[in-house]
Protein backbone atom coordinates (compact mmCIF):
# COMPACT_ATOMS: atom_id res chain seq x y z
CA UNK A 1 0.00 0.00 0.00
CA UNK A 2 1.08 3.58 -0.73
CA UNK A 3 1.81 5.87 2.19
CA UNK A 4 -0.93 8.47 2.36
CA UNK A 5 -0.17 12.07 1.51
CA UNK A 6 3.36 11.56 0.19
CA UNK A 7 2.73 12.83 -3.35
CA UNK A 8 1.80 16.49 -3.92
CA UNK A 9 -0.57 15.33 -6.67
CA UNK A 10 -4.31 14.79 -6.39
CA UNK A 11 -4.49 12.41 -9.38
CA UNK A 12 -2.14 10.52 -11.65
CA UNK A 13 -3.78 8.73 -14.56
CA UNK A 14 -2.26 6.43 -17.17
CA UNK A 15 -4.10 5.66 -20.37
CA UNK A 16 -5.55 7.34 -23.46
CA UNK A 17 -6.33 11.07 -23.61
CA UNK A 18 -8.33 12.57 -26.46
CA UNK A 19 -8.38 16.34 -26.90
CA UNK A 20 -8.07 19.19 -29.41
CA UNK A 21 -5.40 21.75 -30.10
CA UNK A 22 -5.56 24.70 -32.48
CA UNK A 23 -3.42 22.78 -34.98
CA UNK A 24 -5.13 19.41 -34.55
CA UNK A 25 -8.91 19.11 -34.13
CA UNK A 26 -8.61 15.71 -32.45
CA UNK A 27 -5.38 14.42 -30.96
CA UNK A 28 -5.35 10.90 -29.49
CA UNK A 29 -2.56 10.40 -26.95
CA UNK A 30 -2.25 6.69 -26.17
CA UNK A 31 -0.38 5.32 -23.16
CA UNK A 32 0.27 8.71 -21.56
CA UNK A 33 0.57 9.85 -17.96
CA UNK A 34 -1.35 12.89 -16.73
CA UNK A 35 -0.83 14.46 -13.33
CA UNK A 36 -3.22 16.81 -11.53
CA UNK A 37 -2.15 19.00 -8.60
CA UNK A 38 -4.14 19.55 -5.41
CA UNK A 39 -5.29 22.87 -6.86
CA UNK A 40 -6.79 21.04 -9.87
CA UNK A 41 -4.20 22.05 -12.47
CA UNK A 42 -2.64 19.69 -14.99
CA UNK A 43 1.08 19.55 -14.16
CA UNK A 44 2.26 17.02 -16.71
CA UNK A 45 1.05 15.07 -19.73
CA UNK A 46 3.79 12.84 -21.08
CA UNK A 47 4.36 9.44 -22.61
CA UNK A 48 4.20 6.64 -20.05
CA UNK A 49 7.81 5.78 -20.86
CA UNK A 50 8.68 8.90 -18.81
CA UNK A 51 7.10 7.52 -15.62
CA UNK A 52 10.38 6.96 -13.77
CA UNK A 53 11.57 10.50 -14.46
CA UNK A 54 8.18 11.98 -13.51
CA UNK A 55 8.01 9.87 -10.33
CA UNK A 56 11.29 11.33 -9.13
CA UNK A 57 10.23 14.88 -9.97
CA UNK A 58 6.73 14.61 -8.43
CA UNK A 59 7.44 12.07 -5.66
CA UNK A 60 4.91 9.43 -6.51
CA UNK A 61 5.03 5.62 -6.45
CA UNK A 62 3.71 3.16 -9.06
CA UNK A 63 0.74 2.41 -6.77
CA UNK A 64 -0.27 6.09 -6.91
CA UNK A 65 -0.96 5.73 -10.63
CA UNK A 66 -4.49 4.86 -11.70
CA UNK A 67 -4.43 2.87 -14.92
CA UNK A 68 -7.40 3.09 -17.27
CA UNK A 69 -8.71 0.00 -19.01
CA UNK A 70 -7.58 -0.28 -22.62
CA UNK A 71 -11.01 0.72 -23.97
CA UNK A 72 -11.45 3.72 -21.63
CA UNK A 73 -10.30 7.26 -22.35
CA UNK A 74 -10.37 10.75 -20.93
CA UNK A 75 -11.65 13.71 -22.95
CA UNK A 76 -12.09 17.36 -21.94
CA UNK A 77 -15.36 18.37 -20.32
CA UNK A 78 -18.09 19.57 -22.68
CA UNK A 79 -18.83 23.29 -22.84
CA UNK A 80 -22.45 24.40 -23.33
CA UNK A 81 -22.22 28.02 -24.46
CA UNK A 82 -26.00 28.65 -24.41
CA UNK A 83 -28.67 27.06 -22.22
CA UNK A 84 -31.87 28.42 -20.61
CA UNK A 85 -32.01 26.81 -17.16
CA UNK A 86 -35.72 27.59 -16.45
CA UNK A 87 -36.81 26.14 -19.78
CA UNK A 88 -35.51 22.73 -18.70
CA UNK A 89 -38.94 22.48 -17.05
CA UNK A 90 -40.52 21.79 -20.45
CA UNK A 91 -37.54 20.42 -22.41
CA UNK A 92 -38.61 17.72 -24.83
CA UNK A 93 -42.11 19.15 -25.30
CA UNK A 94 -43.83 22.12 -26.97
CA UNK A 95 -41.93 21.89 -30.27
CA UNK A 96 -44.91 22.83 -32.46
CA UNK A 97 -44.34 26.58 -32.94
CA UNK A 98 -41.68 28.86 -34.37
CA UNK A 99 -39.63 31.21 -32.22
CA UNK A 100 -41.76 34.30 -31.54
CA UNK A 101 -45.04 32.39 -31.03
CA UNK A 102 -43.16 29.74 -29.01
CA UNK A 103 -41.79 32.40 -26.64
CA UNK A 104 -45.27 33.86 -26.07
CA UNK A 105 -47.17 30.61 -25.62
CA UNK A 106 -44.67 28.48 -23.72
CA UNK A 107 -41.52 30.24 -22.58
CA UNK A 108 -42.71 33.45 -20.95
CA UNK A 109 -45.52 31.74 -18.95
CA UNK A 110 -42.99 29.17 -17.71
CA UNK A 111 -40.36 31.72 -16.75
CA UNK A 112 -43.02 33.68 -14.84
CA UNK A 113 -43.22 30.75 -12.37
CA UNK A 114 -39.61 31.36 -11.32
CA UNK A 115 -40.74 34.23 -9.13
CA UNK A 116 -41.12 31.38 -6.63
CA UNK A 117 -37.78 30.28 -5.20
CA UNK A 118 -39.24 26.92 -4.20
CA UNK A 119 -40.31 26.21 -7.77
CA UNK A 120 -36.98 27.47 -9.10
CA UNK A 121 -34.95 25.34 -6.69
CA UNK A 122 -36.39 22.07 -7.96
CA UNK A 123 -35.95 22.90 -11.65
CA UNK A 124 -32.49 24.43 -11.24
CA UNK A 125 -31.25 21.51 -9.15
CA UNK A 126 -32.43 19.09 -11.79
CA UNK A 127 -30.92 20.95 -14.74
CA UNK A 128 -27.52 21.24 -13.04
CA UNK A 129 -27.54 17.55 -12.09
CA UNK A 130 -28.63 16.50 -15.57
CA UNK A 131 -26.13 18.60 -17.47
CA UNK A 132 -23.27 17.43 -15.25
CA UNK A 133 -24.31 13.80 -15.79
CA UNK A 134 -24.33 14.55 -19.52
CA UNK A 135 -20.72 15.73 -19.28
CA UNK A 136 -21.27 19.50 -19.31
CA UNK A 137 -18.48 20.77 -17.08
CA UNK A 138 -19.06 24.41 -18.15
CA UNK A 139 -22.48 25.97 -18.82
CA UNK A 140 -23.48 29.47 -19.84
CA UNK A 141 -26.95 29.86 -18.30
CA UNK A 142 -29.81 32.24 -18.93
CA UNK A 143 -32.00 32.39 -15.79
CA UNK A 144 -35.09 34.67 -15.64
CA UNK A 145 -35.90 38.29 -14.81
CA UNK A 146 -36.14 37.39 -11.11
CA UNK A 147 -32.96 38.29 -9.25
CA UNK A 148 -33.40 36.07 -6.18
CA UNK A 149 -34.05 32.86 -8.07
CA UNK A 150 -31.21 33.72 -10.49
CA UNK A 151 -28.89 34.00 -7.48
CA UNK A 152 -30.23 30.63 -6.36
CA UNK A 153 -29.20 29.09 -9.70
CA UNK A 154 -25.65 30.34 -9.14
CA UNK A 155 -25.64 28.90 -5.61
CA UNK A 156 -26.85 25.50 -6.82
CA UNK A 157 -24.32 25.45 -9.67
CA UNK A 158 -21.52 26.22 -7.22
CA UNK A 159 -22.74 23.55 -4.78
CA UNK A 160 -22.60 20.86 -7.46
CA UNK A 161 -19.17 22.03 -8.63
CA UNK A 162 -20.10 22.97 -12.20
CA UNK A 163 -18.20 25.80 -13.87
CA UNK A 164 -20.70 28.37 -15.11
CA UNK A 165 -21.76 31.83 -16.13
CA UNK A 166 -25.20 32.73 -14.77
CA UNK A 167 -27.24 35.61 -16.12
CA UNK A 168 -30.29 37.34 -14.68
CA UNK A 169 -32.36 38.12 -17.79
CA UNK A 170 -33.08 41.78 -18.55
CA UNK A 171 -36.17 42.79 -20.55
CA UNK A 172 -38.33 45.89 -20.35
CA UNK A 173 -40.52 45.27 -23.43
CA UNK A 174 -42.96 42.39 -23.92
CA UNK A 175 -46.22 43.31 -25.66
CA UNK A 176 -47.18 39.70 -26.37
CA UNK A 177 -47.03 38.61 -22.71
CA UNK A 178 -46.92 41.83 -20.64
CA UNK A 179 -47.05 40.05 -17.27
CA UNK A 180 -43.43 39.00 -17.84
CA UNK A 181 -41.25 42.09 -18.07
CA UNK A 182 -39.61 44.76 -15.90
CA UNK A 183 -39.59 48.52 -16.06
CA UNK A 184 -36.38 49.94 -17.50
CA UNK A 185 -35.30 51.33 -14.13
CA UNK A 186 -36.14 48.11 -12.33
CA UNK A 187 -34.20 46.02 -14.85
CA UNK A 188 -31.09 48.20 -14.49
CA UNK A 189 -31.32 48.28 -10.69
CA UNK A 190 -31.92 44.52 -10.38
CA UNK A 191 -29.08 43.71 -12.78
CA UNK A 192 -26.78 45.83 -10.64
CA UNK A 193 -28.02 44.02 -7.51
CA UNK A 194 -27.53 40.63 -9.14
CA UNK A 195 -23.98 41.49 -10.25
CA UNK A 196 -23.11 43.01 -6.87
CA UNK A 197 -24.34 39.99 -4.91
CA UNK A 198 -22.63 37.56 -7.28
CA UNK A 199 -19.31 39.38 -6.99
CA UNK A 200 -19.63 39.44 -3.19
CA UNK A 201 -20.20 35.68 -3.15
CA UNK A 202 -16.93 35.31 -5.08
CA UNK A 203 -17.66 31.76 -6.20
CA UNK A 204 -14.48 30.13 -7.53
CA UNK A 205 -15.96 28.95 -10.84
CA UNK A 206 -19.41 30.60 -11.16
CA UNK A 207 -19.49 34.14 -12.54
CA UNK A 208 -22.21 36.67 -13.43
CA UNK A 209 -22.94 37.48 -17.07
CA UNK A 210 -24.93 40.51 -18.30
CA UNK A 211 -27.98 39.14 -20.12
CA UNK A 212 -30.23 41.33 -22.28
CA UNK A 213 -32.74 38.80 -23.65
CA UNK A 214 -32.64 40.15 -27.21
CA UNK A 215 -33.21 43.41 -29.06
CA UNK A 216 -36.98 42.86 -29.34
CA UNK A 217 -37.41 42.83 -25.56
CA UNK A 218 -34.92 45.57 -24.62
CA UNK A 219 -35.15 49.33 -25.07
CA UNK A 220 -32.14 51.30 -26.27
CA UNK A 221 -31.77 52.82 -22.81
CA UNK A 222 -31.73 49.40 -21.16
CA UNK A 223 -29.23 47.95 -23.64
CA UNK A 224 -26.96 50.96 -23.28
CA UNK A 225 -27.04 50.81 -19.47
CA UNK A 226 -26.36 47.07 -19.50
CA UNK A 227 -23.36 47.72 -21.72
CA UNK A 228 -22.10 50.22 -19.13
CA UNK A 229 -22.58 47.74 -16.27
CA UNK A 230 -20.60 45.11 -18.17
CA UNK A 231 -17.81 47.60 -18.88
CA UNK A 232 -17.66 48.88 -15.28
CA UNK A 233 -17.29 45.38 -13.83
CA UNK A 234 -15.42 43.83 -16.81
CA UNK A 235 -18.18 41.23 -17.27
CA UNK A 236 -19.19 38.84 -20.00
CA UNK A 237 -22.36 39.53 -22.01
CA UNK A 238 -24.79 37.08 -23.65
CA UNK A 239 -27.82 37.51 -25.86
CA UNK A 240 -29.48 36.26 -29.05
CA UNK A 241 -29.11 37.48 -32.63
CA UNK A 242 -30.51 36.59 -36.06
CA UNK A 243 -32.12 33.34 -34.99
CA UNK A 244 -35.27 33.49 -37.08
CA UNK A 245 -36.31 35.51 -40.17
CA UNK A 246 -39.44 36.94 -38.51
CA UNK A 247 -37.30 38.08 -35.57
CA UNK A 248 -34.76 39.72 -37.90
CA UNK A 249 -37.57 41.56 -39.72
CA UNK A 250 -39.16 42.66 -36.43
CA UNK A 251 -35.82 44.10 -35.22
CA UNK A 252 -35.47 45.95 -38.51
CA UNK A 253 -38.95 47.48 -38.04
CA UNK A 254 -38.40 48.30 -34.36
CA UNK A 255 -34.99 49.91 -34.88
CA UNK A 256 -35.06 51.46 -38.40
CA UNK A 257 -32.20 53.87 -37.68
CA UNK A 258 -29.61 51.11 -37.35
CA UNK A 259 -27.73 49.50 -40.24
CA UNK A 260 -28.59 45.95 -39.21
CA UNK A 261 -29.26 43.69 -36.21
CA UNK A 262 -25.63 43.61 -35.07
CA UNK A 263 -25.51 47.42 -35.24
CA UNK A 264 -28.32 47.64 -32.64
CA UNK A 265 -26.12 45.82 -30.12
CA UNK A 266 -22.91 47.46 -31.27
CA UNK A 267 -24.15 51.04 -30.91
CA UNK A 268 -25.40 50.18 -27.41
CA UNK A 269 -22.01 48.87 -26.21
CA UNK A 270 -22.99 45.21 -26.09
CA UNK A 271 -20.53 43.79 -28.63
CA UNK A 272 -17.21 43.23 -26.85
CA UNK A 273 -14.50 40.60 -26.70
CA UNK A 274 -16.47 39.11 -23.78
CA UNK A 275 -19.76 38.77 -25.68
CA UNK A 276 -21.26 35.48 -26.82
CA UNK A 277 -24.28 35.71 -29.12
CA UNK A 278 -26.53 32.71 -29.70
CA UNK A 279 -27.55 31.60 -33.21
CA UNK A 280 -26.50 34.13 -35.87
CA UNK A 281 -28.13 32.12 -38.67
CA UNK A 282 -28.80 35.19 -40.84
CA UNK A 283 -25.83 37.43 -40.08
CA UNK A 284 -24.44 39.20 -43.15
CA UNK A 285 -20.77 39.24 -44.10
CA UNK A 286 -20.68 42.84 -42.86
CA UNK A 287 -22.06 41.80 -39.46
CA UNK A 288 -19.61 38.90 -39.21
CA UNK A 289 -16.77 41.35 -39.89
CA UNK A 290 -18.02 43.48 -36.98
CA UNK A 291 -18.06 40.35 -34.79
CA UNK A 292 -14.47 39.63 -35.77
CA UNK A 293 -13.39 43.21 -35.13
CA UNK A 294 -15.07 43.32 -31.68
CA UNK A 295 -14.02 39.78 -30.72
CA UNK A 296 -17.63 38.56 -30.37
CA UNK A 297 -18.25 34.79 -30.31
CA UNK A 298 -21.20 32.80 -31.64
CA UNK A 299 -22.97 29.95 -29.86
CA UNK A 300 -24.06 27.46 -32.52
CA UNK A 301 -27.30 25.79 -31.36
CA UNK A 302 -28.15 23.31 -34.13
CA UNK A 303 -30.87 21.33 -32.36
CA UNK A 304 -32.84 24.47 -31.52
CA UNK A 305 -32.29 25.98 -34.97
CA UNK A 306 -33.86 22.91 -36.57
CA UNK A 307 -36.48 22.10 -33.90
CA UNK A 308 -37.99 25.61 -34.00
CA UNK A 309 -37.53 25.76 -37.80
CA UNK A 310 -35.34 28.83 -37.36
CA UNK A 311 -32.50 28.33 -39.81
CA UNK A 312 -29.12 26.71 -40.44
CA UNK A 313 -25.92 28.35 -39.26
CA UNK A 314 -23.19 28.03 -41.86
CA UNK A 315 -20.30 27.44 -39.46
CA UNK A 316 -17.80 26.94 -42.28
CA UNK A 317 -18.60 30.47 -43.51
CA UNK A 318 -18.49 31.94 -39.99
CA UNK A 319 -15.05 30.42 -39.39
CA UNK A 320 -13.81 31.93 -42.66
CA UNK A 321 -14.51 35.32 -41.05
CA UNK A 322 -12.31 34.34 -38.07
CA UNK A 323 -15.24 34.47 -35.66
CA UNK A 324 -15.03 32.07 -32.71
CA UNK A 325 -17.74 29.40 -32.50
CA UNK A 326 -18.81 27.13 -29.63
CA UNK A 327 -21.73 24.72 -29.30
CA UNK A 328 -24.92 25.32 -27.33
CA UNK A 329 -27.89 23.11 -26.47
CA UNK A 330 -30.29 26.10 -26.21
CA UNK A 331 -32.66 24.18 -23.95
CA UNK A 332 -35.61 24.17 -24.44
CA UNK A 333 -35.68 25.38 -28.04
CA UNK A 334 -33.26 22.51 -28.30
CA UNK A 335 -34.96 19.49 -26.79
CA UNK A 336 -31.77 17.85 -25.51
CA UNK A 337 -29.58 19.09 -22.64
CA UNK A 338 -26.64 17.02 -23.92
CA UNK A 339 -23.78 18.63 -25.83
CA UNK A 340 -23.29 15.20 -27.43
CA UNK A 341 -26.64 15.82 -29.13
CA UNK A 342 -25.36 19.24 -30.23
CA UNK A 343 -22.33 17.52 -31.79
CA UNK A 344 -24.60 15.19 -33.77
CA UNK A 345 -27.03 17.87 -34.91
CA UNK A 346 -24.09 20.10 -35.86
CA UNK A 347 -22.91 17.31 -38.18
CA UNK A 348 -26.42 16.95 -39.62
CA UNK A 349 -26.60 20.71 -40.22
CA UNK A 350 -23.26 20.64 -42.00
CA UNK A 351 -24.42 17.71 -44.15
CA UNK A 352 -27.67 19.50 -45.00
CA UNK A 353 -25.70 22.49 -46.30
CA UNK A 354 -23.67 20.07 -48.43
CA UNK A 355 -26.80 18.35 -49.78
CA UNK A 356 -28.20 21.74 -50.80
CA UNK A 357 -24.87 22.66 -52.43
CA UNK A 358 -24.52 25.74 -50.22
CA UNK A 359 -21.07 24.53 -49.13
CA UNK A 360 -18.52 22.53 -51.09
CA UNK A 361 -16.97 21.18 -47.89
CA UNK A 362 -18.51 20.28 -44.56
CA UNK A 363 -17.35 19.94 -40.98
CA UNK A 364 -15.65 16.75 -39.82
CA UNK A 365 -16.56 15.05 -36.55
CA UNK A 366 -13.10 15.98 -35.27
CA UNK A 367 -13.77 19.66 -35.97
CA UNK A 368 -17.14 19.52 -34.21
CA UNK A 369 -15.50 17.75 -31.25
CA UNK A 370 -13.19 20.76 -31.03
CA UNK A 371 -16.18 23.16 -31.14
CA UNK A 372 -17.69 21.28 -28.18
CA UNK A 373 -14.55 21.53 -26.04
CA UNK A 374 -11.74 23.94 -26.92
CA UNK A 375 -13.97 26.08 -29.17
CA UNK A 376 -16.55 26.48 -26.42
CA UNK A 377 -13.87 27.46 -23.93
CA UNK A 378 -12.60 30.11 -26.35
CA UNK A 379 -16.13 31.38 -27.03
CA UNK A 380 -16.53 32.00 -23.29
CA UNK A 381 -13.04 33.47 -22.86
CA UNK A 382 -11.89 30.50 -20.78
CA UNK A 383 -9.41 28.90 -23.18
CA UNK A 384 -6.43 29.84 -21.00
CA UNK A 385 -8.01 27.83 -18.17
CA UNK A 386 -9.85 24.89 -19.76
CA UNK A 387 -10.71 23.25 -23.09
CA UNK A 388 -7.97 20.66 -23.46
CA UNK A 389 -5.24 18.86 -21.51
CA UNK A 390 -2.47 21.42 -21.87
CA UNK A 391 -0.17 21.68 -18.87
CA UNK A 392 -1.22 24.60 -16.67
CA UNK A 393 -4.93 24.32 -17.43
CA UNK A 394 -7.50 23.06 -14.95
CA UNK A 395 -8.50 19.42 -15.21
CA UNK A 396 -12.08 19.55 -16.51
CA UNK A 397 -12.51 16.05 -17.87
CA UNK A 398 -14.80 13.12 -18.61
CA UNK A 399 -13.82 9.49 -18.13
CA UNK A 400 -15.47 7.61 -20.99
CA UNK A 401 -16.19 3.89 -20.75
CA UNK A 402 -17.61 2.59 -24.04
CA UNK A 403 -18.19 -0.82 -22.36
CA UNK A 404 -20.13 0.57 -19.40
CA UNK A 405 -23.01 -1.41 -17.97
CA UNK A 406 -26.07 -1.09 -20.24
CA UNK A 407 -24.00 0.93 -22.73
CA UNK A 408 -25.86 2.03 -25.86
CA UNK A 409 -22.68 1.25 -27.84
CA UNK A 410 -22.01 -2.25 -29.19
CA UNK A 411 -18.31 -2.94 -29.63
CA UNK A 412 -16.94 -5.77 -31.75
CA UNK A 413 -13.67 -7.68 -31.75
CA UNK A 414 -12.05 -5.35 -34.30
CA UNK A 415 -12.88 -2.32 -32.11
CA UNK A 416 -10.98 -3.73 -29.15
CA UNK A 417 -7.62 -4.56 -30.72
CA UNK A 418 -4.89 -2.57 -28.93
CA UNK A 419 -5.58 0.72 -27.19
CA UNK A 420 -8.57 2.99 -27.83
CA UNK A 421 -9.26 3.14 -31.57
CA UNK A 422 -10.59 6.05 -33.62
CA UNK A 423 -13.68 3.88 -34.21
CA UNK A 424 -14.45 3.67 -30.49
CA UNK A 425 -14.11 7.46 -30.11
CA UNK A 426 -16.41 8.03 -33.09
CA UNK A 427 -18.95 5.54 -31.76
CA UNK A 428 -19.04 7.37 -28.44
CA UNK A 429 -19.56 10.75 -30.13
CA UNK A 430 -22.41 9.41 -32.27
CA UNK A 431 -23.98 6.78 -29.98
CA UNK A 432 -22.80 7.38 -26.42
CA UNK A 433 -24.71 8.97 -23.57
CA UNK A 434 -24.46 9.56 -19.81
CA UNK A 435 -24.17 5.80 -19.19
CA UNK A 436 -20.73 5.95 -20.83
CA UNK A 437 -19.61 8.99 -18.82
CA UNK A 438 -18.38 7.21 -15.70
CA UNK A 439 -16.72 10.18 -14.00
CA UNK A 440 -16.81 13.95 -14.39
CA UNK A 441 -14.09 16.24 -13.04
CA UNK A 442 -14.20 20.02 -12.73
CA UNK A 443 -11.02 21.79 -11.62
CA UNK A 444 -9.57 18.42 -10.64
CA UNK A 445 -12.48 17.60 -8.32
CA UNK A 446 -14.67 14.57 -8.92
CA UNK A 447 -18.24 15.93 -9.28
CA UNK A 448 -19.95 12.90 -10.88
CA UNK A 449 -20.79 10.43 -9.37
CA UNK A 450 -22.44 12.96 -7.06
CA UNK A 451 -21.24 13.14 -3.46
CA UNK A 452 -23.67 12.56 -0.59
CA UNK A 453 -23.45 16.27 0.27
CA UNK A 454 -25.44 17.19 -2.86
Amino acid sequence: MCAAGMSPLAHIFRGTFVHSTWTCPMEVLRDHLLGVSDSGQIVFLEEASQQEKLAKEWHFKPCDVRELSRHEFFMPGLVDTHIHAPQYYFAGSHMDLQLLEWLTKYTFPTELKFKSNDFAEEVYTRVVRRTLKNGTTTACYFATIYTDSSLLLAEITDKFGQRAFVGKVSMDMNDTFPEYKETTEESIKETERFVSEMLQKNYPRVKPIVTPRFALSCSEKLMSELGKIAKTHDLHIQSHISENLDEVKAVENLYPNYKNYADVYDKNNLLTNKTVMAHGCYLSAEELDVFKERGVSISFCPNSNISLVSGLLNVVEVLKHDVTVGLGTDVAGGYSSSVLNAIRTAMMTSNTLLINKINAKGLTHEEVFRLATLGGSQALGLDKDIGNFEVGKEFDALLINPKASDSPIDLFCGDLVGDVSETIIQKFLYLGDDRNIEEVYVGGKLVVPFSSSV
Side-chain angles (χ1 to χ4, degrees):
M1 290 220 15
C2 285
M6 293 297 288
S7 171
L9 302 178
H11 309 286
I12 308 153
F13 299 108
R14 179 174 177 170
T16 300
F17 300 85
V18 182
H19 73 161
S20 301
T21 66
W22 293 121
T23 54
C24 179
M26 183 185 284
E27 184 175 45
V28 183
L29 303 171
R30 295 180 178 86
D31 199 19
H32 273 58
L33 279 167
L34 183 143
V36 182
S37 70
D38 279 335
S39 63
Q41 282 191 318
I42 299 165
V43 293
F44 60 77
L45 176 58
E46 297 193 29
E47 290 180 6
S49 60
Q50 301 301 304
Q51 180 165 332
E52 197 176 323
K53 179 200 82 167
L54 291 165
K56 282 179 184 171
E57 185 181 349
W58 291 97
H59 311 292
F60 64 84
K61 299 188 178 80
C63 57
D64 291 318
V65 179
R66 176 176 166 189
E67 294 206 22
L68 306 190
S69 299
R70 294 186 80 173
H71 56 271
E72 293 179 322
F73 62 93
F74 269 111
M75 62 172 277
L78 296 164
V79 180
D80 189 344
T81 59
H82 186 70
I83 173 169
H84 293 262
Q87 293 174 26
Y88 185 67
Y89 179 73
F90 66 92
S93 64
H94 302 334
M95 309 304 293
D96 57 321
L97 297 174
Q98 292 194 27
L99 177 66
L100 299 180
E101 296 80 9
W102 177 84
L103 287 169
T104 300
K105 185 171 180 181
Y106 303 126
T107 302
F108 297 146
T110 297
E111 292 190 13
L112 186 68
K113 298 175 192 231
F114 285 75
K115 197 166 190 176
S116 160
N117 273 17
D118 289 341
F119 181 83
E121 183 171 16
E122 182 187 0
V123 178
Y124 287 161
T125 299
R126 290 196 183 194
V127 71
V128 172
R129 285 180 65 94
R130 179 64 63 187
T131 53
L132 274 172
K133 280 184 71 175
N134 286 341
T136 301
T137 52
T138 300
C140 194
Y141 287 116
F142 272 63
T144 67
I145 65 174
Y146 304 113
T147 303
D148 291 338
S149 61
S150 300
L151 289 166
L152 182 60
L153 172 58
E155 183 184 321
I156 290 166
T157 307
D158 174 69
K159 181 177 77 173
F160 278 91
Q162 189 174 48
R163 191 183 301 275
F165 289 99
V166 173
K168 174 222 162 293
V169 173
S170 299
M171 51 189 288
D172 61 348
M173 301 192 302
N174 190 358
D175 291 342
T176 62
F177 195 81
E179 303 98 303
Y180 187 66
K181 67 175 181 179
E182 311 157 287
T183 65
T184 307
E185 292 69 26
E186 182 186 16
S187 189
I188 295 163
K189 183 182 166 190
E190 285 301 298
T191 298
E192 286 174 336
R193 178 165 80 89
F194 173 77
V195 168
S196 173
E197 293 199 24
M198 282 287 291
L199 295 176
Q200 282 172 33
K201 292 280 187 186
N202 197 27
Y203 295 122
R205 295 183 178 90
V206 183
K207 305 298 177 192
I209 183 167
V210 172
T211 306
R213 184 172 213 113
F214 65 156
L216 289 181
S217 61
C218 296
S219 65
E220 288 168 288
K221 182 181 178 184
L222 177 57
M223 286 189 282
S224 179
E225 288 299 317
L226 293 175
K228 288 175 188 171
I229 291 170
K231 187 175 182 181
T232 299
H233 298 283
D234 193 25
L235 298 178
H236 284 70
I237 298 168
Q238 64 177 346
S239 193
H240 303 85
I241 193 167
S242 295
E243 179 177 358
N244 161 292
L245 283 172
D246 289 342
E247 166 219 7
V248 174
K249 188 69 183 167
V251 170
E252 195 179 301
N253 292 336
L254 182 63
Y255 292 114
N257 297 324
Y258 292 86
K259 283 191 291 186
N260 48 47
Y261 202 154
D263 196 43
V264 176
Y265 291 132
D266 194 31
K267 293 287 196 300
N268 289 289
N269 309 309
L270 290 170
L271 297 188
T272 75
N273 62 1
K274 289 193 163 188
T275 299
V276 57
M277 284 282 171
H279 307 298
C281 298
Y282 301 100
L283 290 172
S284 64
E286 182 185 3
E287 289 173 296
L288 287 171
D289 287 340
V290 170
F291 271 39
K292 179 191 174 183
E293 194 178 321
R294 302 283 184 269
V296 177
S297 302
I298 291 177
S299 174
F300 174 30
C301 305
N303 184 315
S304 170
N305 292 341
I306 294 166
S307 295
L308 298 184
V309 200
S310 295
L312 303 171
L313 180 66
N314 190 336
V315 173
V316 171
E317 199 57 37
V318 171
L319 294 174
K320 281 181 190 171
H321 285 263
D322 290 328
V323 174
T324 300
V325 179
L327 287 186
T329 59
D330 193 24
V331 167
Y335 55 77
S336 171
S337 61
S338 172
V339 178
L340 289 172
N341 174 276
I343 289 173
R344 294 158 196 167
T345 46
M347 289 300 300
M348 296 301 107
T349 298
S350 176
N351 292 345
T352 302
L353 293 170
L354 283 177
I355 290 166
N356 289 291
K357 300 197 168 23
I358 292 164
N359 286 344
K361 184 174 175 292
L363 296 167
T364 65
H365 73 271
E366 294 95 341
E367 288 169 329
V368 177
F369 171 81
R370 179 162 61 187
L371 293 181
T373 54
L374 187 58
S377 73
Q378 187 187 34
L380 298 179
L382 297 173
D383 50 309
K384 288 182 181 168
D385 302 313
I386 59 165
N388 61 13
F389 295 133
E390 283 180 20
V391 171
K393 292 190 178 183
E394 293 194 44
F395 187 64
D396 285 16
L398 315 179
L399 177 61
I400 307 304
N401 181 4
K403 290 179 71 177
S405 174
D406 199 28
S407 171
I409 305 168
D410 285 316
L411 299 176
F412 298 92
C413 293
D415 297 332
L416 298 169
V417 176
D419 289 330
V420 175
S421 67
E422 305 279 349
T423 301
I424 287 179
I425 297 164
Q426 247 184 291
K427 283 190 173 186
F428 168 69
L429 292 178
Y430 275 105
L431 300 171
D433 62 23
D434 61 304
R435 287 169 288 184
N436 302 108
I437 301 172
E438 295 228 315
E439 295 175 357
V440 178
Y441 294 82
V442 178
K445 181 187 173 189
L446 183 69
V447 295
V448 175
F450 300 113
S451 74
S452 56
S453 64
V454 296

